[in-house]
Amino acid sequence: MKYQKIPEATIRRLSRYSRCLEEMEESGEEVVSSAQLASRCMVNAAQVRKDLAYFGEFGIRGVGYHVKNLLNDIKRILGSNKEWRMAVIGVGNLGSALLSYKDFLKQNYKIVASFDIDPPKVIGRVSEKLGKPVEIFHVNRLKEIAKERKIEIGLITTPPSEAQSVADLLVEAGVRGILNFAPTQIVVPEGFVVKDVFFTTILDNLAYLLSNN
Amino acid sequence: MKYQKIPEATIRRLSRYSRCLEEMEESGEEVVSSAQLASRCMVNAAQVRKDLAYFGEFGIRGVGYHVKNLLNDIKRILGSNKEWRMAVIGVGNLGSALLSYKDFLKQNYKIVASFDIDPPKVIGRVSEKLGKPVEIFHVNRLKEIAKERKIEIGLITTPPSEAQSVADLLVEAGVRGILNFAPTQIVVPEGFVVKDVFFTTILDNLAYLLSNN
DNA sequence: TCAATTTTGTGACTCCTTTCACAAAACTTG
DNA sequence: CAAGTTTTGTGAAAGGAGTCACAAAATTGA
Ligand SMILES: NC(=O)c1ccc[n+]([C@@H]2O[C@H](COP(=O)([O-])OP(=O)(O)OC[C@H]3O[C@@H](n4cnc5c(N)ncnc54)[C@H](O)[C@@H]3O)[C@@H](O)[C@H]2O)c1
Ligand SMILES: NC(=O)c1ccc[n+]([C@@H]2O[C@H](COP(=O)([O-])OP(=O)(O)OC[C@H]3O[C@@H](n4cnc5c(N)ncnc54)[C@H](O)[C@@H]3O)[C@@H](O)[C@H]2O)c1
């Protein structure tokens, strides 16, 4: 198979497959066909095979895929086999929730520091309930701490008005990945990546579907 | 323009345009061209025009679009001009954050009740800081309260293991829209709509882009 | 060993989305 | 009021993504 640009949608589906395969692995299934995986993920079986074909041959004809192997391969493709070191900037309602989100850890996403600008918050630790407390630093130490702790992804949970300036700090600190929860457009230089999570955009979608069906 | 199926991507972009137009309206801009709106939303100008063309003619040739009018039209198209009544099910870390999310209100999404299964939580009110406290009911009253308060959208923030059974309750109560934050596939009957918000899927995406660029 | 069965990997086809390019419409200015 | 300018709305072209269909590969069983 010759090289092709990989569709963004393929990457999203790989993540879905990954989640399904994890469930299958837990429940002891060893082998899975593209048809089984597809029906579980609500996609077409040819789609599953094509998605995988972008990256190589992982199956055995007449048999299917080894759950464990395929899971490993997909994680390697996605880059989610390594541990990713993250920071939360803005420890308010949402930021605190993220700090105690167990699934991140399970999926190799580790929050190793957090930052705020509000002095009362910058005194101690949070997320004690997980056993692994995460320190809160003043945001003016972001660059220093980001380098020290090798932070690769920043989660922006400040008010929207502060989001761009926080992003600038992250860029300056060499944090190449940003997950932005503040409902505003953020601009970063070439080589950096921003993904937005806009709750109201998704609600708008839902509202449209509810209004027109 | 004859009828066509409207792409999902168009709806997502309309929501983006809507957000931009709101900012423009606030800053007093009265007229905007497709090119200006496009560059603000990081899309192609023809795309903006084509997206709008699905629904009618909103611009004035040689001039552009009236910000206020276009915003109203887009909101009407999306169905986000009316107030949507929502409930949060699972008042834990994330559920509590959602209860105090100001942007929902600003965008006509109103949380009018919340539910949990944990007796200590089902005693009073939360989100006092917004002035408008939201009551927490025991989840076994969901059907009753949903009807009484005309809830149209349910936000699922329970553990994944409970998500499907909560969805079943919502379906039974006639709540047609579900925004699911629990990282698990939910199945609902025809006529109901589920949108998932999987944080780790988005992180997987980010991880892929960071690993391969 | 060989035919029957299963299921992958992939070229070809179809469908959908985006971009281009330009006529038509409205405004501006001399 | 007419020529010039701007910007929309849209058909046509290009580009991507999803599905189909089948040869190739592996397994099973007689
Ligand atoms: N609450 C939610 O459920 C929710 C949902 C989706 C999106 N969001 C978005 O996430 C962001 C945070 O929401 P929230 O409800 O947690 O708000 P919040 O006010 O509770 O938290 C914001 C935090 O950011 C801190 N902060 C402000 N400026 C800062 C800066 N320059 N550097 C570092 N920290 C700074 C504040 O001190 C505060 O602790 C907002 O942009 C909001 O729109 C929130
Ligand atoms: N914490 C986060 O930042 C975050 C981010 C993304 C997704 N999520 C997902 O959101 C969900 C909630 O996460 P959380 O961190 O808030 O967990 P949590 O444990 O703090 O909250 C879960 C809440 O649900 C309640 N609950 C349990 N079963 C219930 C039922 N049958 N009916 C009603 N309520 C019930 C619990 O009592 C608890 O209050 C999980 O599925 C999680 O994976 C959380």
Side-chain angles (χ1 to χ4, degrees), chain A residues 12 15 19 77-78 84 93 98 100 104 109 129 176 179 183 199-205 207-208 211 213, chain B residues 12 15 19 77-78 84 93 98 100 104 109 129 176 179 183 199-205 207-208 211 213:
Chain A
R12 264 199 302 278
S15 178
R19 187 173 295 284
I77 292 163
L78 288 175
W84 289 89
N93 294 301
L98 292 176
S100 50
F104 278 161
Y109 295 104
K129 55 185 119 169
R176 284 183 53 227
L179 193 59
F199 290 23
T200 46
T201 297
I202 306 168
L203 277 178
D204 284 350
N205 240 284
Y208 173 78
S211 306
N213 287 298
Chain B
R12 264 199 303 278
S15 179
R19 185 173 295 285
I77 292 163
L78 288 175
W84 288 90
N93 294 300
L98 292 176
S100 49
F104 278 161
Y109 295 105
K129 56 186 119 170
R176 284 182 55 226
L179 192 58
F199 291 21
T200 45
T201 297
I202 306 168
L203 277 178
D204 284 350
N205 240 282
Y208 173 77
S211 306
N213 287 298

Tab-separated table of all heavy atoms in Angstrom, chain A residues 12 15 19 77-78 84 93 98 100 104 109 129 176 179 183 199-205 207-208 211 213, chain B residues 12 15 19 77-78 84 93 98 100 104 109 129 176 179 183 199-205 207-208 211 213:
chain	number	residue	atom	x	y	z
A	12	ARG	N	-9.793	9.487	14.372
A	12	ARG	CA	-10.861	9.444	15.378
A	12	ARG	C	-11.395	8.025	15.540
A	12	ARG	O	-11.650	7.565	16.649
A	12	ARG	CB	-12.014	10.376	14.965
A	12	ARG	CG	-11.939	11.751	15.597
A	12	ARG	CD	-13.292	12.446	15.538
A	12	ARG	NE	-13.789	12.569	14.173
A	12	ARG	CZ	-13.423	13.520	13.326
A	12	ARG	NH1	-12.580	14.448	13.707
A	12	ARG	NH2	-13.922	13.559	12.096
A	15	SER	N	-9.249	5.677	17.512
A	15	SER	CA	-9.431	5.878	18.943
A	15	SER	C	-10.652	5.091	19.447
A	15	SER	O	-10.608	4.489	20.529
A	15	SER	CB	-9.577	7.378	19.199
A	15	SER	OG	-9.790	7.641	20.544
A	19	ARG	N	-10.721	1.893	22.116
A	19	ARG	CA	-11.568	1.772	23.300
A	19	ARG	C	-12.315	0.431	23.312
A	19	ARG	O	-12.374	-0.265	24.332
A	19	ARG	CB	-12.568	2.930	23.335
A	19	ARG	CG	-13.400	3.003	24.595
A	19	ARG	CD	-14.240	4.261	24.629
A	19	ARG	NE	-13.439	5.475	24.710
A	19	ARG	CZ	-12.839	5.891	25.808
A	19	ARG	NH1	-12.930	5.199	26.929
A	19	ARG	NH2	-12.145	7.006	25.793
A	77	ILE	N	0.294	3.503	16.700
A	77	ILE	CA	-0.037	4.418	15.599
A	77	ILE	C	-0.486	5.769	16.147
A	77	ILE	O	-0.043	6.821	15.699
A	77	ILE	CB	-1.166	3.833	14.723
A	77	ILE	CG1	-0.655	2.599	13.965
A	77	ILE	CG2	-1.694	4.872	13.760
A	77	ILE	CD1	-1.770	1.724	13.409
A	78	LEU	N	-1.378	5.727	17.130
A	78	LEU	CA	-1.920	6.967	17.685
A	78	LEU	C	-0.890	7.721	18.520
A	78	LEU	O	-1.013	8.918	18.727
A	78	LEU	CB	-3.142	6.668	18.565
A	78	LEU	CG	-4.422	6.243	17.858
A	78	LEU	CD1	-5.485	5.862	18.864
A	78	LEU	CD2	-4.919	7.365	16.947
A	84	TRP	N	1.842	10.578	28.194
A	84	TRP	CA	1.845	11.994	27.836
A	84	TRP	C	1.729	12.831	29.099
A	84	TRP	O	0.858	12.584	29.929
A	84	TRP	CB	0.712	12.306	26.873
A	84	TRP	CG	0.945	11.735	25.507
A	84	TRP	CD1	0.575	10.501	25.074
A	84	TRP	CD2	1.629	12.357	24.417
A	84	TRP	NE1	0.979	10.317	23.771
A	84	TRP	CE2	1.635	11.444	23.346
A	84	TRP	CE3	2.246	13.614	24.239
A	84	TRP	CZ2	2.225	11.736	22.117
A	84	TRP	CZ3	2.823	13.892	23.009
A	84	TRP	CH2	2.813	12.960	21.961
A	93	ASN	N	-13.772	25.459	38.275
A	93	ASN	CA	-14.721	24.341	38.286
A	93	ASN	C	-14.285	23.217	37.353
A	93	ASN	O	-14.147	22.064	37.757
A	93	ASN	CB	-16.096	24.841	37.834
A	93	ASN	CG	-16.699	25.813	38.815
A	93	ASN	OD1	-16.898	25.466	39.981
A	93	ASN	ND2	-16.955	27.024	38.374
A	98	LEU	N	-11.093	18.088	35.855
A	98	LEU	CA	-10.104	17.408	35.023
A	98	LEU	C	-8.994	16.802	35.884
A	98	LEU	O	-8.503	15.710	35.610
A	98	LEU	CB	-9.493	18.380	34.012
A	98	LEU	CG	-10.448	18.879	32.922
A	98	LEU	CD1	-9.762	19.908	32.033
A	98	LEU	CD2	-10.970	17.722	32.076
A	100	SER	N	-9.186	15.498	38.633
A	100	SER	CA	-9.553	14.230	39.275
A	100	SER	C	-10.214	13.255	38.318
A	100	SER	O	-10.990	12.404	38.716
A	100	SER	CB	-10.465	14.507	40.474
A	100	SER	OG	-11.515	15.346	40.099
A	104	PHE	N	-8.082	9.617	32.380
A	104	PHE	CA	-6.852	10.142	31.786
A	104	PHE	C	-5.684	9.224	32.131
A	104	PHE	O	-4.915	8.810	31.269
A	104	PHE	CB	-6.553	11.544	32.317
A	104	PHE	CG	-7.311	12.636	31.636
A	104	PHE	CD1	-7.462	13.880	32.237
A	104	PHE	CD2	-7.879	12.450	30.384
A	104	PHE	CE1	-8.161	14.904	31.605
A	104	PHE	CE2	-8.577	13.463	29.744
A	104	PHE	CZ	-8.712	14.693	30.368
A	109	TYR	N	-2.551	9.377	29.975
A	109	TYR	CA	-2.452	10.830	29.992
A	109	TYR	C	-2.333	11.262	31.442
A	109	TYR	O	-3.215	11.008	32.250
A	109	TYR	CB	-3.666	11.478	29.325
A	109	TYR	CG	-3.756	11.151	27.851
A	109	TYR	CD1	-4.679	10.222	27.380
A	109	TYR	CD2	-2.896	11.741	26.946
A	109	TYR	CE1	-4.741	9.905	26.024
A	109	TYR	CE2	-2.941	11.428	25.598
A	109	TYR	CZ	-3.872	10.511	25.145
A	109	TYR	OH	-3.921	10.195	23.818
A	129	LYS	N	-7.880	12.995	46.495
A	129	LYS	CA	-8.678	11.767	46.533
A	129	LYS	C	-8.137	10.685	45.608
A	129	LYS	O	-8.426	9.527	45.751
A	129	LYS	CB	-10.146	12.054	46.201
A	129	LYS	CG	-10.377	12.764	44.893
A	129	LYS	CD	-11.854	13.115	44.730
A	129	LYS	CE	-12.022	14.627	44.621
A	129	LYS	NZ	-13.316	15.087	44.233
A	176	ARG	N	3.778	21.790	22.953
A	176	ARG	CA	3.335	21.771	21.550
A	176	ARG	C	1.862	21.425	21.360
A	176	ARG	O	1.295	21.709	20.315
A	176	ARG	CB	4.198	20.802	20.734
A	176	ARG	CG	5.577	21.366	20.426
A	176	ARG	CD	6.375	20.406	19.549
A	176	ARG	NE	5.638	20.027	18.357
A	176	ARG	CZ	5.491	18.775	17.892
A	176	ARG	NH1	6.077	17.779	18.524
A	176	ARG	NH2	4.793	18.522	16.806
A	179	LEU	N	-5.135	21.543	24.508
A	179	LEU	CA	-6.552	21.183	24.494
A	179	LEU	C	-7.285	22.357	25.120
A	179	LEU	O	-7.128	22.643	26.304
A	179	LEU	CB	-6.770	19.906	25.305
A	179	LEU	CG	-8.120	19.207	25.165
A	179	LEU	CD1	-8.388	18.815	23.731
A	179	LEU	CD2	-8.156	17.959	26.046
A	183	PRO	N	-14.251	28.888	25.341
A	183	PRO	CA	-14.968	29.069	24.078
A	183	PRO	C	-14.473	30.278	23.298
A	183	PRO	O	-15.167	31.273	23.162
A	183	PRO	CB	-16.420	29.235	24.515
A	183	PRO	CG	-16.346	29.743	25.909
A	183	PRO	CD	-15.096	29.198	26.498
A	199	PHE	N	-18.300	22.936	24.370
A	199	PHE	CA	-19.528	22.257	24.763
A	199	PHE	C	-20.740	22.838	24.054
A	199	PHE	O	-21.639	22.111	23.636
A	199	PHE	CB	-19.735	22.360	26.274
A	199	PHE	CG	-18.761	21.560	27.076
A	199	PHE	CD1	-17.523	21.199	26.571
A	199	PHE	CD2	-19.079	21.172	28.366
A	199	PHE	CE1	-16.625	20.463	27.317
A	199	PHE	CE2	-18.181	20.430	29.122
A	199	PHE	CZ	-16.961	20.081	28.607
A	200	THR	N	-20.779	24.170	23.936
A	200	THR	CA	-21.986	24.763	23.360
A	200	THR	C	-22.085	24.486	21.861
A	200	THR	O	-23.191	24.415	21.320
A	200	THR	CB	-22.063	26.283	23.635
A	200	THR	OG1	-20.810	26.865	23.356
A	200	THR	CG2	-22.446	26.537	25.074
A	201	THR	N	-20.958	24.300	21.201
A	201	THR	CA	-21.007	23.906	19.788
A	201	THR	C	-21.687	22.557	19.635
A	201	THR	O	-22.514	22.351	18.742
A	201	THR	CB	-19.582	23.845	19.203
A	201	THR	OG1	-19.008	25.140	19.247
A	201	THR	CG2	-19.594	23.352	17.766
A	202	ILE	N	-21.352	21.650	20.544
A	202	ILE	CA	-21.968	20.325	20.477
A	202	ILE	C	-23.451	20.420	20.816
A	202	ILE	O	-24.291	19.761	20.202
A	202	ILE	CB	-21.227	19.353	21.413
A	202	ILE	CG1	-19.730	19.373	21.087
A	202	ILE	CG2	-21.763	17.942	21.280
A	202	ILE	CD1	-18.864	18.696	22.100
A	203	LEU	N	-23.772	21.277	21.780
A	203	LEU	CA	-25.186	21.485	22.108
A	203	LEU	C	-25.933	22.105	20.931
A	203	LEU	O	-27.084	21.741	20.654
A	203	LEU	CB	-25.323	22.373	23.343
A	203	LEU	CG	-25.200	21.658	24.683
A	203	LEU	CD1	-25.295	22.654	25.825
A	203	LEU	CD2	-26.283	20.587	24.840
A	204	ASP	N	-25.298	23.045	20.233
A	204	ASP	CA	-25.928	23.638	19.051
A	204	ASP	C	-26.262	22.544	18.037
A	204	ASP	O	-27.328	22.552	17.417
A	204	ASP	CB	-24.994	24.664	18.396
A	204	ASP	CG	-24.940	25.981	19.174
A	204	ASP	OD1	-25.757	26.175	20.095
A	204	ASP	OD2	-24.064	26.812	18.857
A	205	ASN	N	-25.336	21.631	17.876
A	205	ASN	CA	-25.548	20.486	17.000
A	205	ASN	C	-26.764	19.682	17.410
A	205	ASN	O	-27.608	19.338	16.600
A	205	ASN	CB	-24.326	19.575	17.113
A	205	ASN	CG	-23.639	19.395	15.804
A	205	ASN	OD1	-24.134	18.653	14.968
A	205	ASN	ND2	-22.548	20.101	15.612
A	207	ALA	N	-29.181	20.678	19.334
A	207	ALA	CA	-30.383	21.507	19.184
A	207	ALA	C	-30.878	21.468	17.749
A	207	ALA	O	-32.082	21.350	17.496
A	207	ALA	CB	-30.087	22.947	19.605
A	208	TYR	N	-29.949	21.539	16.818
A	208	TYR	CA	-30.340	21.481	15.403
A	208	TYR	C	-31.024	20.164	15.083
A	208	TYR	O	-32.086	20.133	14.458
A	208	TYR	CB	-29.114	21.669	14.506
A	208	TYR	CG	-29.429	21.448	13.051
A	208	TYR	CD1	-30.068	22.428	12.308
A	208	TYR	CD2	-29.127	20.238	12.436
A	208	TYR	CE1	-30.387	22.230	10.966
A	208	TYR	CE2	-29.442	20.024	11.096
A	208	TYR	CZ	-30.081	21.025	10.381
A	208	TYR	OH	-30.399	20.810	9.066
A	211	SER	N	-34.432	20.006	16.595
A	211	SER	CA	-35.391	20.914	15.944
A	211	SER	C	-35.835	20.396	14.587
A	211	SER	O	-36.888	20.779	14.089
A	211	SER	CB	-34.771	22.299	15.743
A	211	SER	OG	-34.272	22.798	16.945
A	213	ASN	N	-35.949	17.002	13.365
A	213	ASN	CA	-36.235	15.575	13.171
A	213	ASN	C	-37.489	15.153	13.932
A	213	ASN	O	-37.863	15.775	14.882
A	213	ASN	CB	-35.047	14.729	13.630
A	213	ASN	CG	-33.901	14.837	12.644
A	213	ASN	OD1	-34.025	14.463	11.501
A	213	ASN	ND2	-32.798	15.376	13.113
B	12	ARG	N	-21.862	22.346	12.188
B	12	ARG	CA	-20.776	22.701	13.114
B	12	ARG	C	-20.223	24.083	12.794
B	12	ARG	O	-19.965	24.874	13.693
B	12	ARG	CB	-19.648	21.665	13.033
B	12	ARG	CG	-19.723	20.583	14.084
B	12	ARG	CD	-18.375	19.890	14.235
B	12	ARG	NE	-17.899	19.316	12.989
B	12	ARG	CZ	-18.298	18.132	12.507
B	12	ARG	NH1	-19.157	17.405	13.173
B	12	ARG	NH2	-17.824	17.684	11.367
B	15	SER	N	-22.335	27.010	13.886
B	15	SER	CA	-22.149	27.290	15.307
B	15	SER	C	-20.908	28.179	15.514
B	15	SER	O	-20.932	29.104	16.333
B	15	SER	CB	-22.023	25.955	16.040
B	15	SER	OG	-21.828	26.156	17.401
B	19	ARG	N	-20.785	32.086	16.973
B	19	ARG	CA	-19.932	32.585	18.048
B	19	ARG	C	-19.173	33.837	17.615
B	19	ARG	O	-19.097	34.826	18.354
B	19	ARG	CB	-18.952	31.479	18.469
B	19	ARG	CG	-18.092	31.835	19.654
B	19	ARG	CD	-17.284	30.631	20.108
B	19	ARG	NE	-18.108	29.558	20.611
B	19	ARG	CZ	-18.707	29.548	21.786
B	19	ARG	NH1	-18.563	30.591	22.602
B	19	ARG	NH2	-19.432	28.531	22.172
B	77	ILE	N	-31.859	28.910	12.454
B	77	ILE	CA	-31.542	27.679	11.728
B	77	ILE	C	-31.100	26.582	12.691
B	77	ILE	O	-31.558	25.449	12.617
B	77	ILE	CB	-30.413	27.932	10.695
B	77	ILE	CG1	-30.909	28.850	9.571
B	77	ILE	CG2	-29.896	26.615	10.128
B	77	ILE	CD1	-29.796	29.466	8.755
B	78	LEU	N	-30.199	26.935	13.599
B	78	LEU	CA	-29.662	25.948	14.532
B	78	LEU	C	-30.700	25.522	15.566
B	78	LEU	O	-30.587	24.460	16.164
B	78	LEU	CB	-28.436	26.508	15.258
B	78	LEU	CG	-27.156	26.667	14.442
B	78	LEU	CD1	-26.084	27.339	15.280
B	78	LEU	CD2	-26.671	25.306	13.950
B	84	TRP	N	-33.356	26.071	25.685
B	84	TRP	CA	-33.380	24.620	25.826
B	84	TRP	C	-33.243	24.255	27.296
B	84	TRP	O	-32.362	24.748	27.981
B	84	TRP	CB	-32.244	23.993	25.011
B	84	TRP	CG	-32.491	24.071	23.536
B	84	TRP	CD1	-32.110	25.092	22.711
B	84	TRP	CD2	-33.187	23.123	22.724
B	84	TRP	NE1	-32.519	24.824	21.419
B	84	TRP	CE2	-33.188	23.634	21.402
B	84	TRP	CE3	-33.811	21.894	22.972
B	84	TRP	CZ2	-33.782	22.956	20.331
B	84	TRP	CZ3	-34.394	21.227	21.910
B	84	TRP	CH2	-34.380	21.746	20.606
B	93	ASN	N	-17.669	15.340	40.024
B	93	ASN	CA	-16.723	16.396	39.655
B	93	ASN	C	-17.170	17.149	38.413
B	93	ASN	O	-17.314	18.365	38.419
B	93	ASN	CB	-15.342	15.782	39.379
B	93	ASN	CG	-14.741	15.185	40.628
B	93	ASN	OD1	-14.537	15.894	41.608
B	93	ASN	ND2	-14.470	13.893	40.604
B	98	LEU	N	-20.367	21.488	35.319
B	98	LEU	CA	-21.369	21.860	34.315
B	98	LEU	C	-22.467	22.730	34.926
B	98	LEU	O	-22.953	23.666	34.309
B	98	LEU	CB	-21.990	20.606	33.696
B	98	LEU	CG	-21.047	19.771	32.824
B	98	LEU	CD1	-21.749	18.507	32.344
B	98	LEU	CD2	-20.527	20.570	31.638
B	100	SER	N	-22.247	24.885	37.087
B	100	SER	CA	-21.882	26.298	37.262
B	100	SER	C	-21.228	26.886	36.019
B	100	SER	O	-20.465	27.835	36.106
B	100	SER	CB	-20.955	26.446	38.475
B	100	SER	OG	-19.908	25.518	38.415
B	104	PHE	N	-23.404	28.330	29.250
B	104	PHE	CA	-24.642	27.644	28.878
B	104	PHE	C	-25.807	28.627	28.902
B	104	PHE	O	-26.591	28.719	27.965
B	104	PHE	CB	-24.939	26.501	29.857
B	104	PHE	CG	-24.184	25.236	29.560
B	104	PHE	CD1	-24.025	24.262	30.533
B	104	PHE	CD2	-23.643	24.995	28.312
B	104	PHE	CE1	-23.344	23.085	30.278
B	104	PHE	CE2	-22.955	23.823	28.030
B	104	PHE	CZ	-22.809	22.869	29.020
B	109	TYR	N	-28.950	27.778	26.926
B	109	TYR	CA	-29.049	26.413	27.428
B	109	TYR	C	-29.158	26.504	28.942
B	109	TYR	O	-28.256	27.005	29.607
B	109	TYR	CB	-27.838	25.583	27.003
B	109	TYR	CG	-27.766	25.402	25.508
B	109	TYR	CD1	-26.846	26.115	24.748
B	109	TYR	CD2	-28.636	24.531	24.861
B	109	TYR	CE1	-26.799	25.962	23.358
B	109	TYR	CE2	-28.592	24.376	23.482
B	109	TYR	CZ	-27.667	25.093	22.742
B	109	TYR	OH	-27.631	24.944	21.376
B	129	LYS	N	-23.456	29.877	43.666
B	129	LYS	CA	-22.661	31.041	43.262
B	129	LYS	C	-23.207	31.733	42.020
B	129	LYS	O	-22.916	32.869	41.761
B	129	LYS	CB	-21.193	30.649	43.045
B	129	LYS	CG	-20.987	29.536	42.051
B	129	LYS	CD	-19.510	29.121	42.014
B	129	LYS	CE	-19.366	27.661	42.413
B	129	LYS	NZ	-18.056	27.105	42.192
B	176	ARG	N	-35.355	13.735	24.525
B	176	ARG	CA	-34.923	13.280	23.199
B	176	ARG	C	-33.452	13.539	22.896
B	176	ARG	O	-32.894	12.917	21.999
B	176	ARG	CB	-35.790	13.922	22.107
B	176	ARG	CG	-37.170	13.283	22.020
B	176	ARG	CD	-37.977	13.930	20.895
B	176	ARG	NE	-37.261	13.874	19.634
B	176	ARG	CZ	-37.112	14.900	18.771
B	176	ARG	NH1	-37.637	16.064	19.054
B	176	ARG	NH2	-36.450	14.744	17.644
B	179	LEU	N	-26.419	14.453	25.817
B	179	LEU	CA	-25.000	14.781	25.665
B	179	LEU	C	-24.256	13.886	26.646
B	179	LEU	O	-24.404	14.019	27.858
B	179	LEU	CB	-24.769	16.261	26.003
B	179	LEU	CG	-23.419	16.861	25.625
B	179	LEU	CD1	-23.161	16.737	24.137
B	179	LEU	CD2	-23.376	18.328	26.029
B	183	PRO	N	-17.295	7.785	28.990
B	183	PRO	CA	-16.590	7.183	27.857
B	183	PRO	C	-17.095	5.786	27.528
B	183	PRO	O	-16.389	4.803	27.722
B	183	PRO	CB	-15.135	7.172	28.310
B	183	PRO	CG	-15.200	7.155	29.792
B	183	PRO	CD	-16.453	7.875	30.181
B	199	PHE	N	-13.261	13.042	26.048
B	199	PHE	CA	-12.029	13.812	26.186
B	199	PHE	C	-10.820	13.027	25.701
B	199	PHE	O	-9.934	13.574	25.051
B	199	PHE	CB	-11.805	14.229	27.644
B	199	PHE	CG	-12.766	15.249	28.155
B	199	PHE	CD1	-14.003	15.454	27.564
B	199	PHE	CD2	-12.433	16.028	29.243
B	199	PHE	CE1	-14.897	16.397	28.034
B	199	PHE	CE2	-13.315	16.982	29.735
B	199	PHE	CZ	-14.540	17.159	29.137
B	200	THR	N	-10.783	11.743	26.031
B	200	THR	CA	-9.572	10.993	25.679
B	200	THR	C	-9.491	10.753	24.174
B	200	THR	O	-8.384	10.649	23.635
B	200	THR	CB	-9.490	9.658	26.446
B	200	THR	OG1	-10.746	9.010	26.409
B	200	THR	CG2	-9.078	9.883	27.881
B	201	THR	N	-10.621	10.702	23.497
B	201	THR	CA	-10.577	10.594	22.037
B	201	THR	C	-9.903	11.823	21.435
B	201	THR	O	-9.081	11.724	20.523
B	201	THR	CB	-12.003	10.456	21.468
B	201	THR	OG1	-12.568	9.252	21.962
B	201	THR	CG2	-11.993	10.419	19.947
B	202	ILE	N	-10.234	12.977	21.991
B	202	ILE	CA	-9.639	14.214	21.474
B	202	ILE	C	-8.146	14.239	21.814
B	202	ILE	O	-7.313	14.650	21.011
B	202	ILE	CB	-10.369	15.440	22.050
B	202	ILE	CG1	-11.872	15.310	21.772
B	202	ILE	CG2	-9.833	16.716	21.445
B	202	ILE	CD1	-12.727	16.285	22.524
B	203	LEU	N	-7.811	13.759	23.012
B	203	LEU	CA	-6.385	13.678	23.374
B	203	LEU	C	-5.647	12.700	22.467
B	203	LEU	O	-4.506	12.961	22.073
B	203	LEU	CB	-6.232	13.253	24.835
B	203	LEU	CG	-6.352	14.374	25.863
B	203	LEU	CD1	-6.240	13.816	27.268
B	203	LEU	CD2	-5.288	15.437	25.630
B	204	ASP	N	-6.283	11.576	22.127
B	204	ASP	CA	-5.659	10.623	21.209
B	204	ASP	C	-5.339	11.310	19.880
B	204	ASP	O	-4.277	11.107	19.291
B	204	ASP	CB	-6.588	9.429	20.942
B	204	ASP	CG	-6.625	8.453	22.109
B	204	ASP	OD1	-5.805	8.589	23.037
B	204	ASP	OD2	-7.491	7.560	22.099
B	205	ASN	N	-6.282	12.112	19.442
B	205	ASN	CA	-6.088	12.902	18.235
B	205	ASN	C	-4.874	13.806	18.330
B	205	ASN	O	-4.036	13.862	17.437
B	205	ASN	CB	-7.321	13.791	18.050
B	205	ASN	CG	-8.019	13.513	16.760
B	205	ASN	OD1	-7.555	13.962	15.726
B	205	ASN	ND2	-9.092	12.760	16.825
B	207	ALA	N	-2.423	13.523	20.440
B	207	ALA	CA	-1.218	12.696	20.575
B	207	ALA	C	-0.739	12.254	19.201
B	207	ALA	O	0.467	12.282	18.911
B	207	ALA	CB	-1.509	11.481	21.449
B	208	TYR	N	-1.684	11.886	18.353
B	208	TYR	CA	-1.311	11.463	17.002
B	208	TYR	C	-0.630	12.596	16.244
B	208	TYR	O	0.427	12.425	15.641
B	208	TYR	CB	-2.535	10.981	16.224
B	208	TYR	CG	-2.229	10.706	14.782
B	208	TYR	CD1	-1.572	9.543	14.406
B	208	TYR	CD2	-2.549	11.635	13.788
B	208	TYR	CE1	-1.250	9.297	13.072
B	208	TYR	CE2	-2.234	11.393	12.462
B	208	TYR	CZ	-1.584	10.230	12.111
B	208	TYR	OH	-1.266	9.997	10.804
B	211	SER	N	2.795	13.261	17.580
B	211	SER	CA	3.746	12.193	17.270
B	211	SER	C	4.183	12.216	15.813
B	211	SER	O	5.223	11.683	15.469
B	211	SER	CB	3.134	10.818	17.551
B	211	SER	OG	2.645	10.755	18.863
B	213	ASN	N	4.266	14.991	13.522
B	213	ASN	CA	4.538	16.267	12.853
B	213	ASN	C	5.805	16.923	13.398
B	213	ASN	O	6.219	16.633	14.480
B	213	ASN	CB	3.350	17.224	13.025
B	213	ASN	CG	2.190	16.792	12.160
B	213	ASN	OD1	2.296	16.747	10.946
B	213	ASN	ND2	1.087	16.457	12.797
